[in-house]
Amino acid sequence: MIESIELEEIKSYFLALQDKICEQLTKADGLGIFKEESWQREGGGGGRSRVIQNGGVFEQGGVNFSHVYGENMPASATAHRPELAGRSFNALGVSLVMHPHNPYVPTSHANVRFFIANKPNEKPIWWFGGGFDLTPFYPFEEDVIHWHNTAKQLCLPFGDDIYPKYKSWCDEYFYLKHRQEPRGVGGLFFDDLNSPNFHTAFSFTKAVAQGYLDAYLPIIEKRKSMVYGTQERDFQLHRRGRYVEFNLVWDRGTLFGLQTGGRTESILMSMPPEVKWTYGYEIKQGSEEAKLLDYFLVPREWATI
């Protein structure tokens, strides 16, 4: 059973995690700073939104903490967990999306979250979820291998089957069905984690949070000074359109935030500041741009390459 002291422990960790991630990304950016806004939710709870804009590396990015609670779970949660209907809930977590200026630096996303749903005279239903994934525009194989090797290494202490399971789940989840293509090169995605016990599930969630920084920061350092031109920028803006489409059409987290009455501005901070949709947009076969779709946006066992 999750006691109130454990809920406070999780909340304290998530708040400290938001501080740590912002500190590390600010250092990597070298110019910009995160501006914070606190908000309250009418139905219960609130959060801290931190956004960086027009920095040395990041055109825009956000690292958000939220803790919301209420008497009924929203439809986005009960759709795949009907046993949650009629239960009160607490939902808290840290979620981030970073959109760099430079097309050679990938967009990245990560989140860790905890849910608990209660009903009088019944055991609480609780679980952790989260993960991280990478959306490059001009990928380098060594970067993708590093990203996945970092993911694999953090999973190993929890079992040999963990990385293949959550890597596959990530490939399946971050997939644009209407485009029939992945959003990026994947990473880890997990949900409904409540076994073998609270301590192990929480420890794995912490490992994923640290793994994001271990995976992303070296890629930023390698690529942030690369020279690019209008062609690379144009392609980046068109590919950002795919990111927007996924978040607005398929992402359960976006729906959950909106359905629970969260702060809309904070929920939609995942949107890039500039994006393009051009009717009939085509990529030249054999080009560097085509390589993204033909080679990198094909699920592979990157950690074994």
Side-chain angles (χ1 to χ4, degrees):
M1 180 177 292
I2 304 299
E3 304 292 347
S4 59
I5 188 171
E6 291 170 325
L7 190 64
E8 287 304 311
E9 179 186 356
I10 298 167
K11 184 173 182 176
S12 295
Y13 171 73
F14 284 164
L15 285 166
L17 175 65
Q18 184 191 33
D19 291 339
K20 180 179 181 179
I21 292 174
C22 289
E23 178 185 347
Q24 294 294 313
L25 292 177
T26 298
K27 184 178 178 181
D29 184 90
L31 180 63
I33 59 171
F34 283 89
K35 296 182 180 179
E36 179 178 302
E37 289 184 288
S38 296
W39 55 274
Q40 298 295 317
R41 174 177 172 268
E42 185 176 338
R48 295 192 315 200
S49 298
R50 293 180 179 171
V51 174
I52 187 171
Q53 294 176 301
N54 299 315
V57 172
F58 300 114
E59 187 173 356
Q60 183 167 293
V63 183
N64 291 342
F65 165 82
S66 65
H67 176 199
V68 299
Y69 48 86
E71 292 304 313
N72 291 288
M73 296 286 282
S76 60
T78 58
H80 76 295
R81 296 285 297 269
E83 71 274 18
L84 299 177
R87 287 176 174 262
S88 62
F89 73 95
N90 273 267
L92 57 161
V94 172
S95 181
L96 68 96
V97 176
M98 305 304 298
H99 293 290
H101 291 282
N102 194 321
Y104 290 107
V105 183
T107 286
S108 73
H109 159 259
N111 78 86
V112 286
R113 56 189 181 273
F114 176 77
F115 290 83
I116 183 166
N118 291 290
K119 196 171 186 178
N121 303 317
E122 294 189 22
K123 289 184 178 180
I125 299 173
W126 62 269
W127 69 93
F128 287 94
F132 53 72
D133 65 286
L134 195 69
T135 307
F137 309 100
Y138 291 90
F140 295 83
E141 189 173 66
E142 65 186 272
D143 294 349
V144 181
I145 292 170
H146 158 74
W147 181 264
H148 278 276
N149 271 327
T150 303
K152 182 177 182 179
Q153 292 304 312
L154 76 86
C155 290
L156 284 177
F158 300 91
D160 293 340
D161 62 326
I162 298 299
Y163 170 72
K165 177 182 177 181
Y166 293 155
K167 189 265 187 191
S168 295
W169 200 346
C170 188
D171 289 339
E172 292 166 6
Y173 182 77
F174 292 106
Y175 185 80
L176 286 82
K177 298 174 186 177
H178 62 289
R179 296 282 189 180
Q180 296 186 350
E181 66 181 43
R183 186 171 83 171
V185 296
L188 298 173
F189 180 88
F190 70 100
D191 206 0
D192 305 322
L193 178 64
N194 60 6
S195 62
N197 52 53
F198 172 82
H199 174 75
T200 303
F202 192 16
S203 295
F204 179 72
T205 302
K206 292 177 181 178
V208 169
Q210 180 59 47
Y212 165 75
L213 290 171
D214 294 341
Y216 193 44
L217 292 175
I219 296 175
I220 296 173
E221 290 303 312
K222 277 186 177 182
R223 310 302 171 195
K224 67 182 182 181
S225 298
M226 293 185 67
V227 177
Y228 65 92
T230 56
Q231 178 176 325
E232 290 81 12
R233 176 64 172 173
D234 184 71
F235 183 63
Q236 178 196 45
L237 296 183
H238 279 95
R239 292 304 304 177
R240 281 178 173 179
R242 300 292 205 265
Y243 207 91
V244 171
E245 289 173 21
F246 180 87
N247 281 20
L248 295 182
V249 176
W250 300 109
D251 187 57
R252 290 207 311 260
T254 302
L255 285 174
F256 179 87
L258 295 174
Q259 289 177 358
T260 54
R263 183 173 183 262
T264 302
E265 197 74 8
S266 299
I267 296 164
L268 297 182
M269 66 85 193
S270 62
M271 299 298 114
E274 291 191 35
V275 64
K276 275 188 179 182
W277 284 275
T278 301
Y279 184 80
Y281 180 75
E282 293 184 359
I283 298 171
K284 184 179 179 180
Q285 289 188 355
S287 65
E288 285 299 308
E289 291 76 18
K291 189 176 180 181
L292 171 68
L293 281 76
D294 296 340
Y295 181 73
F296 286 97
L297 295 190
V298 177
R300 301 179 187 277
E301 297 305 318
W302 296 105
T304 65
I305 296 177

